[in-house]
Amino acid sequence: MMYYSTNGKAPRADLRKAVIKGLAEDRGLYMPEKIARLPGEFIRGMGSRSFVENAYAVADAFFGEDVPAPVLRRIVEETLAFDCPLREVEPGIYSLELFHGPTLAFKDVGARFMARLLRHFTAGEGDINVLVATSGDTGSAVANGFLGIEGIRVFVLYPKGKVSPIQECQFTTLGRNVTALEIDGVFDDCQALVKAAFMDEDLNRALRLTSANSINVARFLPQSFYYFWAYAQLQRLGLSGNVVCSVPSGNFGNICSALFGKRMGLPVRRFIAANNANSVFYEFLRTGSYRPRPSVQTIANAMDVGDPSNFARIWDLYGKDPDAIRADISGATYSDAEIAETVRECYERTGYLLDPHGACGYRALKEGLRPGETGFFCETAHPAKFKDTIERIIGAPVAIPPTLSAFMQGRKLSVPLPGDFPAFKEYLLSV
Ligand SMILES: *Cc1c(COP(=O)(O)O)cnc(C)c1O
């Protein structure tokens, strides 16, 4: 299958090129040329199949033309090495827990899938080097997703002293093919170093460089697996009519993959995009015009995005028609005070502990659900990842799950580097 750019000015790419390049030459995002519809019979039978079985059918629809079946099957199996269970929070409202992977947040699935697909496309060609700048969470998902994958080296650049200790330990303690570079600077400096490396002729001659950006089709499309699995679990409960799905959204990759799922025949009636105070999409739905603006800092910080990159995909998918978008998606936006109140209220009333991102999804669902509908929201991170914030809100200790405490006991292995490009270049050429 071929992929076109949302900006329409770059040549079409095959899957291999789209995965290795990430972004098209015209800075647009790649879109698959067709979205196959899964047979009704398959959809009706999802409840009797496993997470892997359902996900493989979805993966086959996107990647089956370009990846041999046994390879794709293995990639799906290795990616989904953990469950994404659906839990009832209160009658009619379910939490789809996307935080049972290695870094306890939903980006694990996309990162794991991409690592394996990249490996498939570059095997036998010599080492490929993934450069990723992080302000915290992306680095850990990518580092853990690529950990131990042969032929791929990962360099995670992070700003010294600017990521939380819980985040830092998730990518600085791994070793093996993952190197954490502690940059004396801020996140923007890390990002500038990565960009400069991709532009540098000497580096590109000496090393094969690639990024593992969240807009990569191999990171983004596999997230649709979640939505088929949520629906399968609702089917088992006999609740598959009038399903509504609420997604806490920042860059809009997660919800966009759900919208692709709907195109493939997933019977979710409508979606809610739940924002924190960064409400650019909410304002777009209200006014019909998209006005990006600088992000503001919130307690749901993985959603602090002022110009969501996947808006371009949603805009393209719905033929640039705001009314078509509004027919499928409504919006919500919450302040930090509202997020905190939601975490506290839900915990006290139901015993279910939300994280700040999931709290946006939960509240948007609770406020938006109509009689006769069943809703689920994505719980995108484990609350322990935001231990201090959550403890302050509920006034009680939050237990750290074993996966996280194992990271916290590991030894920090990062390489300190100054924030200037010559030093970074010299380092890369020396390893
Ligand atoms: C990345 C992230 C989000 C936002 O997902 P998008 O695909 O960027 O919309 C929400 N919650 C958590 C915990 C995240 O890490």
Side-chain angles (χ1 to χ4, degrees), residues 99 104-107 137-138 141 214 219-220 223 227 247-257 274-275 300-305 308-310 355-358 378-382 385-386:
F99 57 69
L104 307 178
F106 90 91
K107 290 181 182 71
D137 271 349
T138 301
S214 70
R219 268 190 69 187
F220 142 78
Q223 292 168 358
Y227 298 91
V247 186
S249 296
N251 250 326
F252 281 69
N254 199 8
I255 195 169
C256 191
S257 73
N275 285 156
N301 59 13
M303 305 185 338
D304 293 350
V305 181
S309 38
N310 285 288
D355 95 293
H357 307 81
C378 295
E379 213 344 332
T380 47
H382 192 292
K385 286 197 92 166
F386 307 92

Side-chain angles (χ1 to χ4, degrees), residues 386-402:
F386 307 92
K387 187 174 161 55
D388 296 347
T389 305
I390 300 294
E391 288 182 340
R392 211 176 333 109
I393 293 170
I394 64 168
V398 173
I400 300 271

Side-chain angles (χ1 to χ4, degrees), residues 216-229:
N216 196 296
V217 289
R219 268 190 69 187
F220 142 78
L221 284 172
Q223 292 168 358
S224 59
F225 300 165
Y226 297 140
Y227 298 91
F228 287 87
W229 185 226

